[in-house]
Amino acid sequence: MTISLAQLRRCSAAVDLGAARTRVYVKNQGLVVDEPTVAAVNTRTGSMLAVGAQAEVMDGRTPDYIRVVRPVSNGTIVDIDMAQRLLRHLVGDKLRKTWRRRPSMRAAVCLPYGSEPLAQRAAVETLTGLGARRVELVDTLVAAAVGCGLPVEQPEATMIVVCGAGTTQVAVLSLGSIVAAETVPVGGNAIDHAVIQHLRLHHDLMLPNQSARPLHLMLSGDGELAPGSTEVHGRDVVSGLARSVHVDTERVRRAIITPLTAILDGIGAVLRRCPPDLVADLGERGIMLAGGSALIPGLEPMIHEATSMPVHIADRPGTCAVQGLGAMIEGKVQPLHLDPLAP
């Protein structure tokens, strides 16, 4: 995926269609959509009942004829038709009519680093189905770095770790391009799964999927796990009755260390592929954490301990990618011009 700022300035909308949340940035209007990438469908009639936050609440609480679907998995659109219907309802009638008045409406979309051609085609077809005449593809790593305020276009090393729901992307950037990057198949969902499995194995308690994320965020305090224990409510594995247990936060920390270690391996692999000069720059500037799962408890101190580098969390880590893409289409990013020398 090549990035042309001149082509991006012609776009009127920026879309970050993630596995957890969908965000839409409209030129001259800002962020207009920030909803979960979830839809509830009536399997008998095929009609869509709810989207976004309303559909997410229904997950695990519906009768047989209502199905809660997630059309995006690991940053890749797996159901084009459902993704189009989801976006159509999230965007709303007002914005759709505005887009239809523009016969040459263009859109930009974020995609994970190293996306397969099939995944790129799915993203293009999803947006063209909504009226886009041309779709520009941008690496999520570059867009998130711009949204974090990093000097991406300068000849200086900047390292960013984008922690998503399904994957974690790590990259070192310089002169507006990716020098080295790595995608780790571990994200917030893997952390939630580790917490759920810990409670099931050690406490015989089945925890609802929607309770895992609030649980491990509740256990954190200023980036570190809080001491003591926390009361958790769920269903007993043996009897099937409702039960509550007191969970030791230290054991939960040990339970999520294994998936977090995979992220450290990805960071180490990227650093080993970088030139020494860029790594020296990172020793002073540090590592920037972005993405909706950047606030996972214990991640920041673990990276700092493993790399001995300063670690920073973006002000709004969840919206960094779409805000950076919005800055590109607004023309707020100025490229560094390198004119060829005269012979």
Side-chain angles (χ1 to χ4, degrees), residues 218-243:
M218 179 176 59
L219 296 176
S220 64
D222 298 330
E224 297 182 359
L225 289 175
S229 61
T230 303
E231 187 176 7
V232 180
H233 303 276
R235 191 185 73 179
D236 188 270
V237 174
V238 179
S239 65
L241 302 177
R243 187 166 64 92

Side-chain angles (χ1 to χ4, degrees), residues 285-337:
R285 180 169 290 112
I287 302 173
M288 179 67 71
L289 296 183
S293 302
L295 299 176
I296 290 176
L299 179 59
E300 179 187 359
M302 183 177 291
I303 294 178
H304 174 69
E305 182 179 355
T307 61
S308 300
M309 294 181 181
V311 181
H312 314 283
I313 299 179
D315 294 336
R316 292 174 294 176
T319 60
C320 283
V322 71
Q323 291 290 353
L325 199 54
M328 293 181 186
I329 68 176
E330 295 274 9
K332 298 179 181 179
V333 180
Q334 299 298 327
L336 180 65
H337 294 285

Side-chain angles (χ1 to χ4, degrees), residues 2 30 35 52 81 242 282 314:
T2 58
E35 292 282 344
D81 178 66
L282 295 175

Side-chain angles (χ1 to χ4, degrees), residues 4-6 10 83 85 90-91 107-108 117 129 170 186 260 272 296 305 318 334:
S4 173
L5 293 177
R10 300 175 185 175
R85 296 174 65 185
L90 290 179
V91 168
V170 185
V186 172
L260 292 182
R272 285 191 295 271
I296 290 176
E305 182 179 355
Q334 299 298 327

Side-chain angles (χ1 to χ4, degrees), residues 143-185:
V146 173
C148 293
L150 299 177
V152 178
E153 296 293 334
Q154 299 301 318
E156 303 173 357
T158 56
M159 188 170 192
I160 185 165
V161 179
V162 180
C163 306
T167 61
T168 297
Q169 304 173 65
V170 185
V172 173
L173 302 96
S174 180
L175 290 175
S177 300
I178 296 175
V179 177
E182 186 82 14
T183 299
V184 183

Side-chain angles (χ1 to χ4, degrees), residues 195 198-199 202-203 215 219 225-232 245-255:
V195 175
H198 170 77
L199 293 176
H202 296 86
H203 298 278
L215 171 62
L219 296 176
L225 289 175
S229 61
T230 303
E231 187 176 7
V232 180
V245 297
H246 288 274
V247 180
D248 185 9
T249 57
E250 180 62 23
R251 289 192 173 185
V252 174
R253 184 186 69 83
R254 291 197 295 266

Side-chain angles (χ1 to χ4, degrees), residues 75-95:
T76 302
I77 299 174
V78 294
D79 190 338
I80 297 177
D81 178 66
M82 189 59 62
Q84 286 180 349
R85 296 174 65 185
L86 174 67
L87 274 175
R88 190 175 292 114
H89 283 82
L90 290 179
V91 168
D93 295 333
K94 185 177 180 180
L95 284 179

